[in-house]
Amino acid sequence: WRVLPILMALGNTYGLMLVVVLLGYGLVAIPRMLMRWARPREELKRVYLLSNKADEWLFDAVWELQDTEDEIDSLLASANHTRAVQNHSDVQYCTDELIAAKAKTLVLPPLLQSKRTTNVRSRRGSTARPTASAATSSPTHKFAKLKKSEEPSDDLERLDIDYREVINEMATLHARLKKAQNNLDNARANFSNILSRYKSFARLVEIESQASSSILASTKKFGRTILRGIMFRSLGILSIGMSALVLWSECTMMLPFNLSPFGFLVQDGCESEAQEKSDLYIFVESVSLSFPLMYISICVYWSLMKVTLFTNFKLNGNKMSSAVALVFNAQYFIRMQFPLGYNFLLMFKYNDKCGTTAFSKLMSNMDTVPFFGTGFSLYAPLMILLFSIMTYFNVYPRLATLVGMDHEDAILIALDKCEVEDEVEEKLRSGEALLVHQCQKENDIDCIHNTEEESGIEQISFGRFV
């Protein structure tokens, strides 16, 4: 055996399994989401129920950050740390980096600052500033390098304190601080998303409830309510049809003959080229073949962004995604691109009628690997049907509820199990009150900032929460 076919088979197997799981979820979840968006009132209730959990996550994130900051303050005020700073430059460097990292969230935006247990925080140790050398090197690399150091310097050997323990403790707190800050960013982005959805659907419900006093108001109401509902229902029905065709094509992929509707279109396209049909006909047929690939790509990549197993690597809107999250998701987008393209060609049975493509010829190197070679790519898509059925019956959210994981549908399923309707109604009322209160606070902050700008008074901008 050669090494290249084995590596290709392992990479294709790993990527294909990810595609199978994510595609099976997306083929059901996307049509369901589009059909929900056609009913603003029902979706608004969903937002009310989710807002309580989002606010709880936000509170926990703020308190976790505050606890970490308190431990940092205690460490910086300790006698051991003071002695170590006075006698070793590496400890001073780590102290400057830790203070600089802590200063990024020392004063939070007003809507988050109000969630602290103490709004006015102690600024003990916050007067120090990073040195010039600290600004030109990587803090994480420096911490790791200092943690691995085994030999203390000569000037500390006479002291009763091991400065390496101080550096290790600061490195641990620095990692916890970065994790807490990242968790707070994700919680803010999640609550921001909930608040944005509330504003959109609440506005639609308000327009729907208003009486039409003029032709312009009637036209606006017709466009924002009736036409919007028709559009999303049409998209939902179209996506249901596409999902059914994709599932049928995936399940019949292993058969020796072609039963895929997309495969018939490919076969007709190849015959059109042989019969020298018009270029426009061939162009339209070729473009139409791109829609199935586009749809399954949307299903896979949208499902990846909905995964809650990697909260620290989640993509967030409004430029709130960390650099690590961007790299992590880009890596998986690229990793699934080739298995997805190979599955696309096998689903169409392109090689049977139109000849072998260069990509298929490259992937055929896996034929020498038993089971995990090209044969596995034909039978693995059967599991897409299994995951689609599990998604339709909400098996994944139920499992997430059992293991204590946070999932949007899991929260709703848990509430559906409530035997007392008053409990659900209370959740709806509290969620609505929470979102209305947050919008009012946001409007008050905007009014204050606008007034200060008009009066010419220079103020420190804390930024908007949403």
Side-chain angles (χ1 to χ4, degrees):
W1 287 358
R2 292 181 296 175
V3 177
L4 181 59
I6 297 177
L7 295 178
M8 289 180 62
L10 292 177
N12 180 71
T13 302
Y14 176 66
L16 185 60
M17 292 305 299
L18 290 176
V19 169
V20 165
V21 175
L22 297 175
L23 183 58
Y25 175 78
L27 289 175
V28 176
I30 288 182
R32 180 182 288 173
M33 178 188 66
L34 292 174
M35 297 300 290
R36 285 203 318 263
W37 284 358
R39 303 186 299 271
R41 292 183 181 275
E42 297 299 324
E43 189 65 13
L44 190 59
K45 292 181 180 180
R46 181 185 180 92
V47 172
Y48 289 156
L49 295 176
L50 294 175
S51 62
N52 294 288
K53 188 66 177 180
D55 187 63
E56 180 182 345
W57 182 14
L58 198 59
F59 261 106
D60 292 341
V62 172
W63 290 347
E64 180 184 358
L65 176 64
Q66 184 170 272
D67 291 342
T68 305
E69 290 175 341
D70 290 340
E71 291 188 30
I72 292 175
D73 291 340
S74 299
L75 174 64
L76 297 182
S78 64
N80 289 345
H81 176 266
T82 303
R83 293 168 58 190
V85 168
Q86 295 173 351
N87 292 277
H88 204 282
S89 59
D90 286 342
V91 179
Q92 179 63 51
Y93 170 84
C94 294
T95 301
D96 293 340
E97 290 295 339
L98 190 60
I99 292 174
K102 175 174 170 286
K104 295 179 180 178
T105 51
L106 189 64
V107 178
L108 298 176
L111 294 179
L112 291 180
Q113 191 72 15
S114 62
K115 297 181 183 298
R116 288 188 185 272
T117 54
T118 305
N119 289 337
V120 181
R121 292 186 50 77
S122 171
R123 285 169 172 76
R124 176 177 50 200
S126 62
T127 57
R129 292 292 181 266
T131 60
S133 60
T136 58
S137 58
S138 171
T140 305
H141 175 73
K142 185 72 175 178
F143 272 125
K145 181 179 179 181
L146 294 175
K147 285 182 71 176
K148 294 181 180 178
S149 175
E150 296 294 339
E151 298 297 332
S153 58
D154 296 336
D155 58 344
L156 285 182
E157 290 180 348
R158 297 183 299 272
L159 298 176
D160 296 331
I161 176 176
D162 187 355
Y163 79 97
R164 289 173 296 175
E165 295 182 0
V166 176
I167 291 179
N168 289 339
E169 188 172 359
M170 284 193 293
T172 302
L173 286 176
H174 185 269
R176 285 182 53 192
L177 178 64
K178 300 294 286 186
K179 182 178 180 181
Q181 291 173 341
N182 189 32
N183 185 40
L184 179 61
D185 289 339
N186 289 327
R188 289 175 58 191
N190 181 63
F191 194 87
S192 174
N193 181 43
I194 295 291
L195 196 60
S196 176
R197 289 165 61 181
Y198 162 72
K199 291 178 180 179
S200 299
F201 290 110
R203 181 58 180 165
L204 291 173
V205 172
E206 180 183 357
I207 293 175
E208 186 178 350
S209 303
Q210 289 177 350
S212 301
S213 58
S214 63
I215 299 178
L216 181 61
S218 301
T219 304
K220 183 178 179 180
K221 180 178 180 180
F222 178 78
R224 296 291 296 273
T225 57
I226 299 177
L227 287 183
R228 181 186 177 277
I230 294 175
M231 181 189 69
F232 278 110
R233 286 189 181 90
S234 301
L235 289 175
I237 294 173
L238 180 62
S239 62
I240 291 174
M242 286 292 297
S243 296
L245 293 177
V246 170
L247 284 174
W248 174 260
S249 300
E250 295 283 359
C251 294
T252 58
M253 185 187 299
M254 76 199 66
L255 300 178
F257 42 86
N258 183 21
L259 291 179
S260 170
F262 306 126
F264 295 145
L265 191 60
V266 170
Q267 180 180 346
D268 183 67
C270 295
E271 293 176 354
S272 299
E273 293 181 0
Q275 297 173 5
E276 298 182 355
K277 291 187 178 181
S278 64
D279 294 338
L280 179 61
Y281 181 84
I282 297 175
F283 174 77
V284 172
E285 200 166 39
S286 301
V287 171
S288 62
L289 290 174
S290 65
F291 286 105
L293 177 61
M294 186 185 304
Y295 181 71
I296 62 176
S297 299
I298 291 174
C299 290
V300 170
Y301 295 138
W302 178 83
S303 301
L304 178 63
M305 290 187 290
K306 294 287 288 184
V307 172
T308 57
L309 294 176
F310 312 106
T311 305
N312 293 330
F313 305 110
K314 183 181 179 182
L315 289 179
N316 299 314
N318 298 326
K319 300 180 181 180
M320 298 183 67
S321 299
S322 64
V324 177
L326 292 174
V327 172
F328 177 84
N329 285 273
Q331 175 187 356
Y332 272 89
F333 280 11
I334 296 173
R335 180 170 293 174
M336 291 185 295
Q337 179 180 0
F338 291 96
L340 186 62
Y342 188 51
N343 175 262
F344 175 75
L345 289 178
L346 294 178
M347 183 174 64
F348 284 1
K349 295 188 178 294
Y350 185 88
N351 298 333
D352 295 347
K353 298 294 182 180
C354 304
T356 303
T357 62
F359 184 68
S360 298
K361 186 176 181 180
L362 173 65
M363 300 298 287
S364 64
N365 292 326
M366 300 185 301
D367 287 338
T368 57
V369 181
F371 183 69
F372 291 107
T374 54
F376 180 76
S377 301
L378 295 175
Y379 295 97
L382 277 176
M383 292 186 291
I384 296 177
L385 179 62
L386 173 63
F387 284 104
S388 296
I389 295 174
M390 293 174 63
T391 304
Y392 181 79
F393 289 103
N394 295 317
V395 175
Y396 170 67
R398 297 178 194 277
L399 293 177
T401 304
L402 292 177
V403 299
M405 289 174 49
D406 293 333
H407 188 272
E408 183 173 308
D409 295 327
I411 300 172
L412 303 178
I413 290 176
L415 290 172
D416 288 341
K417 292 181 178 179
C418 295
E419 297 180 358
V420 183
E421 284 189 15
D422 293 341
E423 184 176 349
V424 179
E425 291 295 330
E426 179 62 27
K427 291 286 185 180
L428 291 173
R429 286 193 295 268
S430 63
E432 182 181 7
L434 171 66
L435 293 174
V436 170
H437 180 64
Q438 292 293 345
C439 288
Q440 291 175 349
K441 292 177 66 176
E442 182 183 79
N443 293 333
D444 292 341
I445 291 171
D446 289 340
C447 292
I448 293 173
H449 287 174
N450 293 334
T451 304
E452 291 172 350
E453 291 176 0
E454 292 174 359
S455 61
I457 301 176
E458 184 177 355
Q459 296 288 340
I460 299 176
S461 175
F462 295 105
R464 290 184 60 185
F465 177 49
V466 180

